[in-house]
Amino acid sequence: MKITIALAQLDIKFGNPDANFSQIEPNVQKAAEQDADMVVFPEMWNTGYDLTRLDEVADVDGERTQKLLASLAKKYQITIHGGSVSTSKNDTFYNTTYIFGPDGKLLTSYDKVHLFGLMHEDEYLAAGCEEDHFQIKGVSAASVICYDIRFPEWLRTLSLDDSRILFVPAEWPTSRIPQWRRLLAARAIENQSFVVAVNRVGSDPDNAFGGHSGIYNPMGDEVLTLDDQPQLKTFTIDTKETDDARGFMPVFEDRRPELYR
């Protein structure tokens, strides 16, 4: 199955939801004009890492985000991977993904499982504990968020349900962009899947973010890469490459999970 995916690499305005929400429709419209089947946004695009003010800026129950993404998905007849946003649910804060189909219906949601202590997520956010699976044009896919990619066992768990595409929204700092690219390639190779990763650009009071969003094929080749500027680019993948890779080297069949811990 051929799927055209648009990567929306944003400069997120720190702690300014109104400014950040205003960036979403222009990118969805542009992706639709380029005949994309799907557009993907970065992590925490509504607030950035303004964690100390989550009680003021987080999206309560994700209602604002869901209303916007649902309406835009239906308006432009496109699947929207909403990256992730800061949400407040039952007086607890989360880093949450929402994905909407072209009919405007919610396909899935996901709360980030692994919280990143170096950016103080563990002090302000609660961790999720559920897998995230959905389909795009009949193809099984799954999502993680940023720091999750440092836990290969988690992405393998998701891939065991026959996911062919792994999506990774992120706010990955500039200083660790080389590791970002190597980790994404490794996750693609070991899971024999496409990896679609969207990082932010710009800076906040404590960090600079290096972009380099990209798409990696099941052999780990970087078939699309962006630089460190705000932009939207599209690329068409063919998930037959996943079938070919898994057929040629049946890694999943050769697993010995009884030995793993």
Side-chain angles (χ1 to χ4, degrees):
M1 176 63 68
K2 292 185 178 181
I3 304 172
T4 301
I5 302 172
L7 311 187
Q9 186 168 272
L10 305 181
D11 183 350
I12 297 165
K13 311 306 177 187
F14 185 73
N16 190 339
D18 289 343
N20 293 319
F21 271 88
S22 72
Q23 299 190 75
I24 302 305
E25 182 165 8
N27 280 278
V28 174
Q29 181 177 357
K30 186 175 181 181
E33 289 171 348
Q34 296 181 16
D35 296 322
D37 297 301
M38 184 179 204
V39 58
V40 188
F41 289 94
E43 179 187 18
M44 294 276 277
W45 59 257
N46 63 332
T47 61
Y49 270 81
D50 191 3
L51 300 180
T52 63
R53 293 197 310 128
L54 286 176
D55 58 338
E56 302 173 43
V57 297
D59 189 358
V60 178
D61 294 324
E63 288 186 358
R64 183 178 183 183
T65 302
Q66 293 186 72
K67 183 178 180 180
L68 176 67
L69 298 185
S71 65
L72 294 179
K74 188 172 183 178
K75 177 179 179 179
Y76 293 102
Q77 295 290 288
I78 190 171
T79 298
I80 300 178
H81 188 302
S84 78
V85 292
S86 61
T87 59
S88 173
K89 295 180 280 189
N90 298 319
D91 299 319
T92 303
F93 301 113
Y94 295 88
N95 185 340
T96 305
T97 291
Y98 297 108
I99 303 172
F100 285 85
D103 58 359
K105 293 182 180 179
L106 181 68
L107 298 178
T108 186
S109 64
Y110 170 76
D111 294 321
K112 189 175 185 178
V113 166
H114 300 94
L115 301 180
F116 190 42
L118 288 180
M119 290 179 72
H120 308 292
E121 278 189 314
D122 57 331
E123 298 175 29
Y124 297 96
L125 300 172
C129 57
E130 299 291 336
E131 297 180 19
D132 173 42
H133 296 280
F134 65 101
Q135 290 199 340
I136 169 75
K137 296 181 72 174
V139 176
S140 296
S143 291
V144 296
I145 299 174
C146 200
Y147 187 49
D148 283 332
I149 66 170
R150 288 187 179 270
F151 299 87
E153 59 271 45
W154 181 233
L155 278 78
R156 174 53 59 84
T157 297
L158 295 171
S159 297
L160 288 173
D161 281 347
D162 201 37
S163 293
R164 304 305 175 100
I165 314 171
L166 297 168
F167 290 89
V168 188
E171 290 207 27
W172 199 279
T174 300
S175 61
R176 292 189 289 279
I177 287 296
Q179 289 77 25
W180 158 256
R181 298 171 78 176
R182 293 182 187 120
L183 286 165
L184 294 171
R187 300 296 86 87
I189 294 167
E190 67 198 10
N191 292 300
Q192 297 175 310
S193 296
F194 281 93
V195 170
V196 177
V198 180
N199 192 27
R200 67 160 293 186
V201 297
S203 62
D204 66 19
D206 299 310
N207 301 280
F209 301 94
H212 285 85
S213 303
I215 297 177
Y216 296 76
N217 70 15
M219 302 302 290
D221 300 319
E222 195 174 34
V223 294
L224 175 68
T225 184
L226 281 58
D227 58 21
D228 60 355
Q229 298 301 308
Q231 60 194 283
L232 181 140
K233 285 191 176 181
T234 61
F235 186 84
T236 300
I237 67 171
D238 187 344
T239 57
K240 183 178 181 297
E241 292 184 41
T242 300
D243 298 330
D244 292 344
R246 294 180 181 182
F248 171 72
M249 187 173 294
V251 171
F252 285 65
E253 296 177 16
D254 294 335
R255 295 174 67 249
R256 297 188 62 192
E258 72 275 8
L259 301 180
Y260 307 153
R261 60 183 178 86

